[in-house]
Amino acid sequence: MEDDGRIHLLLVEDDLLDALNVQRAFRGVDAVESVTVAQDGVEAINLLRSGAFPLRRLVILIDLRMPRMNGLEFLREIRHDPKLHWLPVVVLTTSADEEDRAQAYRMNVAGYFLKPVNLGAFKQAMSTFTEYWSKVTFPRA
């Protein structure tokens, strides 16, 4: 079966406005099949483990600063899960902290984006994200 290049996106974001901005940025983008939002790492882990969510061509876009289970805790959890450890995760956060960035890369994130403050820069960052992931060849899940 040919891969159509469309991705599924799991957005892990507790800030409603940021989640809406991401959803808006991907609305109508042909390369994005679906956007699902989880409000924190616990909800995201449960969703991924439920079996009701597509893992094929899935990219996880995660904030670091969240209640219950933050982005770094989420990364530790999925990197130790034999069924989820291979999933690509990209950080989208306000944290410019060097230690946060270093920890995220040590847990094999595929990228680290600082949330742009203006809408034009935000749209450009999401366009770059989409362009890259729509061209990546994924393993079969």
Side-chain angles (χ1 to χ4, degrees):
M1 180 175 159
E2 279 295 308
D3 208 334
D4 71 359
R6 295 171 59 126
I7 62 171
H8 297 279
L9 182 66
L10 174 57
L11 173 63
V12 188
E13 173 62 68
D14 68 313
D15 184 287
L16 181 59
L17 184 57
D18 285 347
L20 288 172
N21 283 334
V22 170
Q23 288 175 303
R24 238 181 250 125
F26 292 120
R27 188 172 295 134
V29 175
D30 287 339
V32 178
E33 177 76 24
S34 65
V35 178
T36 302
V37 179
Q39 293 185 350
D40 60 34
V42 172
E43 185 179 342
I45 289 288
N46 290 338
L47 187 59
L48 290 167
R49 289 179 176 155
S50 73
F53 191 76
L55 296 182
R56 183 162 165 72
R57 296 199 57 79
L58 173 67
V59 179
I60 301 168
L61 188 58
I62 189 165
D63 188 14
L64 293 184
R65 308 277 188 235
M66 296 178 293
R68 291 201 311 164
M69 178 187 282
N70 69 37
L72 294 172
E73 292 165 335
F74 171 85
L75 279 165
R76 275 189 218 63
E77 183 75 19
I78 70 163
R79 293 305 182 227
H80 288 98
D81 185 314
K83 292 182 180 175
L84 304 175
H85 74 275
W86 60 274
L87 290 170
V89 178
V90 176
V91 174
L92 177 64
T93 187
T94 57
S95 176
D97 182 74
E98 183 58 38
E99 184 54 29
D100 283 348
R101 192 173 325 153
Q103 283 187 57
Y105 277 109
R106 282 193 296 269
M107 288 184 275
N108 300 317
V109 294
Y112 194 103
F113 285 84
L114 290 176
K115 289 179 184 174
V117 289
N118 77 51
L119 189 57
F122 182 81
K123 285 182 179 179
Q124 180 60 44
M126 294 302 94
S127 176
T128 300
F129 173 90
T130 305
E131 180 70 20
Y132 175 79
W133 287 105
S134 69
K135 301 214 179 332
V136 167
T137 303
F138 285 77
R140 295 202 185 270

